[in-house]
Amino acid sequence: MNPRSGYVSVAAAAAAATRAAYQQLRRRPPVEARMWQRTNYAGRGVELYGGLAAAAGAATAMAAARGVSVRARVAAVGAALAAGACGAYDDQKGVPGERGFAAHLEALRERRLTSGGVKLLGIGAAGLAAGVLLKARPLDQVLAGVVIAGSAHAVNLADVAPGRAAKAVITAGLPGLLRRGPGAVLASAPLGAAAAVLGDDLHERTMLGDAGAHALGAALGAALAFADGRGALVTHAALVVALAAAGDRAGAGQRFWSAPVVRRFDAWGRTPHPNG
């Protein structure tokens, strides 16, 4: 099989599975529909089905991907589903005032388990487990775990404006497709899933939420970790740690998204609002 046709087929499968899941969730919401309704930054009502659908679509495509070992597929699918499940828990149980690593670590020191603490521990453990499956040496396994969990967190940091997190996944995933090999095949799955919900996200019909953002980020992180050698693992691990640290600092993200080129790309396709 031509490598590029393999990427395209996995991305297309992820997109198709995501759209099918999205339509099904809108027809028959899990539990109660009100649990998946939110008010966005502009005061407009949106739902979280896009995130659940993207998590399911990416996982389905990775599970069926050809040319990727069973071990790598189990690692990537497991990391994505575990991260998505932890994110869905936070979507339902999260408290607005308890955000950021510092707040969750402080709560753990006080022997309180917040929904963010569940994400921190659950996604961290899932990332490490996936790293053990993807890499042979202990240091590489730990670094891979950091890349996977950190990527999940990094994408979630971007999920504060319509389409921003989906664009982040697509932008971060495209360079991975330039590589040849199974890592690139895996990377095409979260990319296809993100593309499938981008339009609905931009037009404020849905949003990824913690479930979708964490799942797609973990899937992308697993693909990167699988393809990375030691040097690239160190680089990617340092990058996601730096992003996490910046996310805890007030104003750091705002300065980045206010940069002229970034601001134009971020605003592309979004419905303008008088209040932001």
Side-chain angles (χ1 to χ4, degrees), residues 68-77 79 126-137 140-141 143-145 147-148 182-183 186 218-228 233:
V68 182
S69 69
V70 172
R71 192 179 181 93
R73 280 183 281 156
V74 168
V77 171
L128 183 57
V132 169
L133 290 173
L134 292 172
K135 297 297 181 182
R137 297 180 179 179
D140 292 342
Q141 292 170 346
L143 289 170
V147 170
I148 293 166
L186 288 177
L220 184 59
L224 292 172
F226 184 41
D228 282 349
L233 278 174

Side-chain angles (χ1 to χ4, degrees), residues 13-274:
T18 297
R19 293 307 301 180
Y22 181 54
Q23 296 302 328
Q24 179 63 21
L25 286 165
R26 295 188 71 188
R27 283 194 298 267
R28 300 185 64 179
V31 194
E32 297 181 38
R34 64 179 179 81
M35 294 175 60
W36 308 100
Q37 305 297 319
R38 295 293 184 273
T39 301
N40 70 2
Y41 77 110
R44 186 171 180 175
V46 296
E47 33 84 345
L48 298 172
Y49 304 139
L52 300 176
T60 299
M62 290 189 297
R66 296 174 60 186
V68 182
S69 69
V70 172
R71 192 179 181 93
R73 280 183 281 156
V74 168
V77 171
L81 291 180
C86 291
Y89 180 80
D90 194 39
D91 281 331
Q92 298 303 320
K93 303 295 184 181
V95 177
E98 292 183 325
R99 296 291 179 183
F101 277 127
H104 302 316
L105 289 173
E106 180 62 28
L108 289 173
R109 281 194 291 269
E110 297 172 356
R111 298 186 179 181
R112 291 189 299 111
L113 184 60
T114 63
S115 60
V118 170
K119 290 194 305 183
L120 184 64
L121 297 174
I123 297 176
L128 183 57
V132 169
L133 290 173
L134 292 172
K135 297 297 181 182
R137 297 180 179 179
L139 178 57
D140 292 342
Q141 292 170 346
V142 172
L143 289 170
V146 172
V147 170
I148 293 166
S151 297
H153 180 64
V155 173
N156 190 53
L157 286 175
D159 191 37
V160 294
R164 182 177 290 177
K167 289 179 185 177
V169 171
I170 294 169
T171 303
L174 282 173
L177 300 188
L178 299 178
R179 303 180 180 185
R180 293 189 176 185
V185 174
L186 288 177
S188 63
L191 192 155
V197 294
L198 178 59
D200 291 278
D201 195 346
L202 286 168
H203 290 93
E204 300 175 49
R205 290 186 286 268
T206 193
M207 61 185 291
L208 289 180
D210 281 26
H214 281 301
L216 293 181
L220 184 59
L224 292 172
F226 184 41
D228 282 349
R230 172 72 60 81
L233 278 174
V234 171
T235 300
H236 282 136
L239 176 60
V240 295
V241 169
L243 288 172
D248 267 0
R249 293 201 303 272
Q254 185 177 357
R255 287 193 297 273
F256 172 78
W257 294 108
S258 297
V261 175
V262 177
R263 186 175 66 248
R264 285 194 293 271
F265 176 69
D266 182 41
W268 171 81
R270 186 179 300 152
T271 303
H273 290 282

